[in-house]
Amino acid sequence: MAFETVSELRVRYAETDQMGVVYHANYLVWCEIGRTDFIRRAGKSYADLEREGVLLAVSDAALRFHASARYDDPIRVCTALTHVGSRGMTFGYRIQRADTHVVLVSATTSLVCINRDGRLTTLPRDVRSWLERAMLGGANDVDGA
């Protein structure tokens, strides 16, 4: 079974349009929250990866909208790492209302590894192995132990 993290938040007023509905671009921000939480719970932080010279850039994003979120709704972002390759990875997301479990958005983002000059590069072998373990294992048992 794949490892999945859950991040919870509440819709802020600034994330809504004039009608009180969440503006579509904010779902990408919530995906970033989920991705960052996933990596941290798997044993590292984005800052740790960057210190190791691993810079990740979003190369593709796809969102499918199922229902609307509104101001002050409780939100749950479920995140899983679905693919790890030699130069990047793909995350899947299920964004739902935390209280009703209604799926609002299903999404994926693909990230590639780049160097400090912004050029595509290979994921270091140890980082790729760690991510593969994270994809299948879970928090606490994926940090190389």
Side-chain angles (χ1 to χ4, degrees):
M1 182 173 176
F3 172 53
E4 182 177 83
T5 61
V6 175
S7 308
E8 296 201 355
L9 55 104
R10 191 168 286 279
V11 176
R12 295 168 295 207
Y13 188 78
E15 294 169 318
T16 64
D17 61 19
Q18 204 170 22
M19 297 174 291
V21 174
V22 171
Y23 180 68
H24 68 277
N26 287 304
Y27 290 96
L28 284 170
V29 174
W30 298 349
C31 288
E32 182 182 0
I33 290 169
R35 188 169 61 247
T36 301
D37 285 351
F38 181 97
I39 289 173
R40 183 178 311 283
R41 290 182 189 151
K44 295 182 185 252
S45 69
Y46 256 88
D48 292 336
L49 290 173
E50 289 183 354
R51 279 190 286 277
E52 294 173 20
V54 178
L55 306 175
L56 301 173
V58 174
S59 61
D60 188 61
L63 290 87
R64 174 87 175 170
F65 296 90
H66 305 283
S68 297
R70 298 185 169 277
Y71 172 63
D72 205 38
D73 283 352
I75 302 297
R76 177 175 293 135
V77 181
C78 304
T79 305
L81 181 58
T82 60
H83 173 77
V84 178
S86 62
R87 294 182 178 209
M89 68 214 66
T90 301
F91 287 88
Y93 312 88
R94 190 177 64 258
I95 301 173
Q96 59 192 129
R97 277 191 57 126
D99 55 352
T100 64
H101 306 286
V102 169
V103 176
L104 305 170
V105 170
S106 50
T108 60
T109 58
S110 295
L111 290 86
V112 294
C113 186
I114 58 173
N115 63 21
R116 301 232 180 255
D117 295 326
R119 294 189 179 172
L120 188 63
T121 188
T122 304
L123 278 168
R125 185 182 309 266
D126 62 326
V127 172
R128 183 174 179 184
S129 295
W130 168 73
L131 287 167
E132 288 169 342
R133 288 191 307 274
M135 183 169 58
L136 300 174
N140 303 332
D141 63 343
V142 295
D143 60 1

